[in-house]
Amino acid sequence: MDDRKIGEILRIGSHKEHSRREKRVRSSFFDTVRRAIRHIPFMEDVVASYYCALDPETPSATRGILIAALAYFVLPTDFVPDILFGLGFTDDIAVLLAAFQAVQHNIRPEHYERARETLADL
């Protein structure tokens, strides 16, 4: 996946688009985490990003980037469909890593703490 495609995916978009993406993320995130947990080696970062994206203290630009990346992650049919064994999450990994690099300074220790607790419960 090239940088231009990733940039298109991570574009924040309108308020309406952000709200639609956030709703999709809230409804599908943990189901997708359960399916992907063995395929994505940095799942703690993914879950911490989820909590960061939903934190009202997180800057809106960061929230927008993370919601866009997480919305792509929860889509069952994205650039490389997640059902393809061994390859299905490679595009998700690229998008999530790009988002992390852009906003990692806003993912706080309390987001990681909640992520560890959540993953322990899964």
Side-chain angles (χ1 to χ4, degrees):
M1 176 170 283
D2 66 18
D3 290 341
R4 188 172 29 159
K5 181 67 176 168
I6 291 172
E8 290 173 20
I9 292 166
L10 295 180
R11 187 178 18 204
I12 296 171
S14 69
H15 178 69
K16 184 177 179 181
E17 177 67 15
H18 177 81
S19 295
R20 187 178 64 77
R21 286 176 175 170
E22 185 173 339
K23 184 177 178 183
R24 182 183 323 139
V25 169
R26 286 179 184 269
S27 69
S28 304
F29 181 74
F30 290 107
D31 290 336
T32 304
V33 167
R34 284 181 190 92
R35 283 195 327 272
I37 202 161
R38 289 174 290 168
H39 304 288
I40 298 182
F42 53 94
M43 190 57 76
E44 183 177 301
D45 295 307
V46 175
V47 178
S49 293
Y50 171 82
Y51 289 119
C52 180
L54 300 182
D55 184 343
E57 294 182 21
T58 299
S60 60
T62 296
R63 292 179 73 204
I65 290 168
L66 290 175
I67 288 293
L70 295 170
Y72 187 80
F73 172 63
V74 301
L75 279 176
T77 55
D78 45 33
F79 192 70
V80 178
D82 295 342
I83 197 163
L84 294 177
F85 182 74
L87 296 175
F89 289 103
T90 57
D91 60 321
D92 300 275
I93 289 170
V95 169
L96 291 167
L97 282 174
F100 296 151
Q101 289 173 353
V103 302
Q104 66 187 5
H105 58 281
N106 287 308
I107 304 172
R108 297 191 316 266
E110 55 266 30
H111 299 138
Y112 278 102
E113 184 177 326
R114 286 192 70 193
R116 284 188 291 277
E117 290 170 2
T118 299
L119 289 169
D121 291 341
L122 294 178

